[in-house]
Every structure is written in C-alpha cells, then in structure tokens.
Amino acid sequence: MINTENSLILHGPVAYSRGPDELITFEDAYAVCVNGVSEGVFESLPEEYRGLPVEDVRGKLIIPGLVDLHIHAPQYQFRGIGMDMELLPWLASYAFPEEARYADIDYAAAAYAMFVKELRHSATTRACVFATAHKAATLKLMELLEESGLVTFVGKVCMDRNVPDYYVESTEGSLSATGEWLSEAEKAGFLNTHPIITPRFTPACTRELMRGLAELSREYAVPVQSHLSENLSEIELVKELEPDTSCYADSYVRAGLIRKDCPSVMVHCVWSGEEELSILKENGVFIAHSPESNINLCSGAAPVKKYLEAGLNTGLATDVAGGSSTSMFSAIRNAVFASKLRFRLYDGSVKPLTFSEAFYLATKGGGAFFGKAGSLEKGYMFDALILDESRIPTMRTDMNIAERLERFVYLGHDNDIAGKLVCGKKLFWK
Ligand code: GUN
Ligand code: FE
C-alpha cells in the first residue's frame, strides 16, 4: 500500500554522500520516496513509480537533510555573545545563568518556541539536543519538537557537582527527576522525539550520579550523550576529580555510560589520545565534531580526518551557543576551515578535511546515529532539502553539481532552502 502523505518524487539535480570520499551527483534525476523511505535516485523514472506525484525542482538542488549531532536548546537565547571566554568561565558566566531561567515554565515555553521555529526552518532535519536540568521545561521542549516534524533525541541535563547552588541538583534529586522524566516522556507517546540520558560532563557529575544514570539507560533502553575531552582546563579538572581513571572517557566507562550495548554520542573529542580513541571505537561511540564552538571557546581543533580514516563514527554539530549559529551549512564550512588551520599550524600529519568529507559528516556520518538517515540511497529515510541558488548568481552556468553544492554551502543561507522533507513529509515548501 502506498501512502500518499509521504510518497513522492523529486525531479532535479541531486547530490548525496555514499562515503566520505564518495559524493554522488546527478545532473537530472528522480529521487523516489515511497512511504517515507527512499527507493533510490534514477536517471530515468522506472515504470512502477509513474503514478506518484512529482515535484519539479529542476534549477534547484536536492540534497539529504542535515544532522546536527549536538545543540543546546536553552543556549539559543544567548547565541552570538560571550565569545571572549574559555569553556569553564563561559559556562559560569553565560550558560548556567541562562539555563537556570528554565525553572520558570512560561519563560521556557516562550524561549523554546523561538528555538524550535528556527530549527524547523533550518537545514537540520535531525538533531541531538541538550535541554536543561528541569523536567517540566524539557518535556515542553519535546512537545514543541514533536509538533515541528523534526526527528530528535532530547536530554534532561544532569549534574550534581561544580555547578552554582542556584542550578545544581542533588544526586538523588537528579536521578529521581530523570526517572520521572523518562516515564512521562514514554507516556507522552512521541513518535519523533526520543529521550536520551544526558550527564552534562564528568566535572559536573559524580560517579554515583553517572552509575544511576547508566542504570536508567538500561531500564528504559535509551542512549546517552555527553561532552568529552573538549578543553584543556576541563581535562585537567577531570584528572584531579577522577584519579583512578586512565583517560577522560574511562570516567564514563567506569560508570557504565559508555558500553557496547548502548548507543552514545560524545561531543568534541578535541584532545582524545590513542587509548580514548580505542574505547570510542570498541564501543561504537559517535563523535560529534563542533568546529566553531571549539574555536570560540579556545578548545582547539579536533583531528577529524584521522577519526574518519580510523573508521570511528563521526558527525558534525553546531553546539549552539558555543557555536553561534544553528546553521549546519556554517558547521560544514567551519569543519573545513578548522582542519586547515590545524594542519598548517600544529600538526601536518593530519591532512585537512575535503569538502566531500565535511558534507559526509553533516549527512550520512551523523545520520547513522538515527539508523538509515542522512543519504538518499535506497532504503534510507527520505529526509531532503531543496536548495535555491537564485540569491547567489554567477555567470558560470557550466558548473557541475558538486561545484554548485560546495558554492551553496559557502555562500548560501538557511533562508535559501526552498523546501524541506522529513521521512517524505513536507515541513515547508516555498
Ligand atoms: N561542557 C559542559 N557543558 C557544556 C556546554 O554547555 N557547552 C560546551 N560547549 N561544553 C560543555
Ligand atoms: Fe555542548
């Protein structure tokens, strides 16, 4: 049975990644979606699909939806300010005071509505989201995201140490609120909005809290997200706080939060050593690379090319408000920039990212955390963007599709997206 609500054909130029070095392009093709899933991209339309509605977007570009593996929804309110501090003072001066406001559910509802409105109109189709420590506000954010049509993992943030009194939780309080939140999220019956266990990072979480969270992740069969090896002062602090660990990731392993039977996203991994990387690889952990945030908070630049070559699961993230923008186009550009500076200034052994690799990270690389997402290959969930290049004119009408895509990522804006689909359903169509 074909469902007409999420079955259609997009006709026009197409680009998607098959692998980091394999950008697949078509000058003129049919991307076929049946019941929300891609049937593949064809140069001539197979007979069996002739009855499906066709959207003619020749003159524009069809690409997969972009996946933001890490964004802080409450920090949207102060994006673009406070860029003159490193991570730990930045958390104390900007992040914690803003996040504490979400104790007020009216503030939270209004602020999250703004955030969700922007995300819905952005290039992002799927995201892993940090909320705040507040259960009610986090459920509100989940409701709004569910209405948006985006597919997300959302986490109530947990933290029981090294956080100011006005925002810190007790160990017991954090665990019981998380248990209640998981059970209420389950009852809400969201289809596209999933809970994810979210210890903020080791400096803010005791071993006891993290062990309790690991139990909850088993009990409710939910994944885990946290920060890892981001900034040098943070890493020093972890060494002091957790003297029995062999590396930062080991603090999550010992608590049971990084383990083979539990999908997880670890954000940043700027300074991960060989032992840490082998822990990530063995456990199938996803690395969320967040280049703009890493520069803004003076954290560094992660050797992402090395992670790709080592076969680690790696995706891209905006990390608003460490990153200033929700735009994943901007994240792709910044990934390439950061890798070039890293290569030239301090480590010639790791080559810069190519455009194709950065695009892969933003699509199929991070998409894998959601299952078959981030590509238009047969069998993938049909998330797509229609890019309109009319605002960025050129005399060069002979550019190939790969060049047009690269140019759009460098010069285009999220407002230049003419249409957005998630699992074959239109979120908007201009
Ligand atoms: N580490 C712990 N909390 C945060 C946060 O809010 N932003 C970033 N970039 N790193 C963190
Ligand atoms: Fe973050």
Side-chain angles (χ1 to χ4, degrees):
M1 263 291 284
I2 292 185
N3 186 342
T4 49
E5 229 184 69
N6 56 355
S7 303
L8 83 171
I9 294 165
L10 301 178
H11 180 195
V14 179
Y16 61 82
S17 289
R18 192 150 58 202
D21 302 320
E22 285 179 283
L23 182 68
I24 308 297
T25 60
F26 296 83
E27 292 283 338
D28 182 35
Y30 300 86
V32 179
C33 170
V34 173
N35 297 340
V37 177
S38 175
E39 291 284 309
V41 178
F42 306 92
E43 276 173 326
S44 61
L45 187 63
E47 197 56 45
E48 59 190 296
Y49 303 124
R50 293 270 151 111
L52 292 173
V54 180
E55 287 288 0
D56 184 350
V57 291
R58 283 175 287 179
K60 302 191 172 79
L61 276 178
I62 304 162
I63 65 165
L66 305 187
V67 179
D68 188 345
L69 267 193
H70 178 65
I71 182 163
H72 296 260
Q75 296 179 10
Y76 178 75
Q77 300 305 323
F78 68 90
R79 70 201 185 286
I81 58 173
M83 297 308 192
D84 49 0
M85 281 187 189
E86 288 209 29
L87 174 66
L88 298 177
W90 176 87
L91 285 170
S93 304
Y94 293 100
F96 296 150
E98 176 61 31
E99 291 186 22
R101 293 178 187 232
Y102 289 69
D104 174 351
I105 192 68
D106 294 331
Y107 181 86
Y112 281 152
M114 257 182 223
F115 166 76
V116 172
K117 186 175 176 197
E118 177 158 311
L119 209 62
R120 187 176 134 78
H121 291 94
S122 74
T124 300
T125 46
R126 294 172 190 258
C128 292
V129 183
F130 272 51
T132 65
H134 313 96
K135 183 187 78 170
T138 304
L139 286 165
K140 185 70 206 172
L141 173 62
M142 294 175 85
E143 258 172 52
L144 293 167
L145 282 166
E146 181 73 5
E147 284 164 17
S148 75
L150 299 164
V151 180
T152 54
F153 285 97
V154 179
K156 175 220 162 309
V157 172
C158 297
M159 46 203 184
D160 66 345
R161 66 173 172 186
N162 297 319
V163 172
D165 288 348
Y166 63 81
Y167 191 33
V168 75
E169 305 169 288
S170 67
T171 310
E172 260 317 301
S174 184
L175 289 172
S176 61
T178 304
E180 288 164 21
W181 163 67
L182 288 168
S183 130
E184 288 173 41
E186 201 171 70
K187 283 198 204 100
F190 300 130
L191 297 175
N192 291 321
T193 318
H194 313 288
I196 181 165
I197 295 280
T198 306
R200 182 165 211 122
F201 64 161
T202 301
C205 301
T206 61
R207 183 79 53 88
E208 191 189 349
L209 173 60
M210 295 211 279
R211 287 207 165 119
L213 292 174
E215 263 172 49
L216 285 169
S217 80
R218 284 198 184 88
E219 188 185 332
Y220 286 86
V222 282
V224 169
Q225 62 181 356
S226 195
H227 296 93
L228 177 64
S229 294
E230 175 178 5
N231 186 281
L232 292 173
S233 334
E234 168 215 15
I235 295 165
E236 277 313 302
L237 184 55
V238 171
K239 279 188 193 143
E240 277 168 37
L241 291 166
E242 304 286 336
D244 64 335
T245 54
S246 57
C247 61
Y248 191 158
D250 191 30
S251 65
Y252 296 120
V253 173
R254 282 170 189 252
L257 285 167
I258 288 183
R259 55 179 205 272
K260 286 202 175 75
D261 66 349
C262 180
S264 60
V265 178
M266 287 289 150
V267 187
H268 301 306
C269 304
V270 175
W271 298 103
S272 300
E274 292 310 317
E275 185 190 345
E276 186 153 290
L277 292 176
S278 63
I279 289 176
L280 302 183
K281 175 116 199 221
E282 263 170 43
N283 292 283
V285 175
F286 278 74
I287 296 172
H289 172 50
S290 208
E292 194 206 342
S293 170
N294 294 160
I295 294 167
N296 288 336
L297 300 176
C298 292
S299 298
V304 193
K305 177 96 158 190
K306 174 172 147 181
Y307 299 164
L308 280 177
E309 284 172 354
L312 286 149
N313 291 321
T314 311
L316 206 52
T318 61
D319 192 26
V320 164
S324 60
S325 166
T326 57
S327 172
M328 285 296 294
F329 297 128
S330 163
I332 297 172
R333 298 193 292 270
N334 284 320
V336 176
F337 283 148
S339 73
K340 287 177 177 169
L341 281 179
R342 187 183 189 284
F343 166 73
R344 177 58 62 220
L345 296 180
Y346 69 88
D347 180 7
S349 77
V350 179
K351 295 279 182 292
L353 283 175
T354 62
F355 174 77
S356 166
E357 288 163 339
F359 185 71
Y360 167 84
L361 290 172
T363 54
K364 199 175 177 181
F369 189 70
F370 291 77
K372 285 197 146 187
S375 181
L376 293 169
E377 291 161 278
K378 184 176 167 55
Y380 275 68
M381 290 178 276
F382 198 91
D383 302 346
L385 304 175
I386 312 299
L387 309 182
D388 178 357
E389 301 148 277
S390 59
R391 204 186 47 80
I392 42 174
T394 172
M395 292 295 283
R396 290 278 303 277
T397 50
D398 57 347
M399 270 187 280
N400 65 35
I401 302 304
E403 290 168 329
R404 282 172 59 186
L405 173 62
E406 183 171 4
R407 207 178 76 95
F408 185 94
V409 168
Y410 275 83
L411 300 172
H413 186 274
D414 289 39
N415 291 341
D416 299 317
I417 301 169
K420 176 169 174 176
L421 300 103
V422 173
C423 288
K425 275 198 196 155
K426 288 175 183 161
L427 265 62
F428 65 83
W429 201 263
K430 291 181 189 164

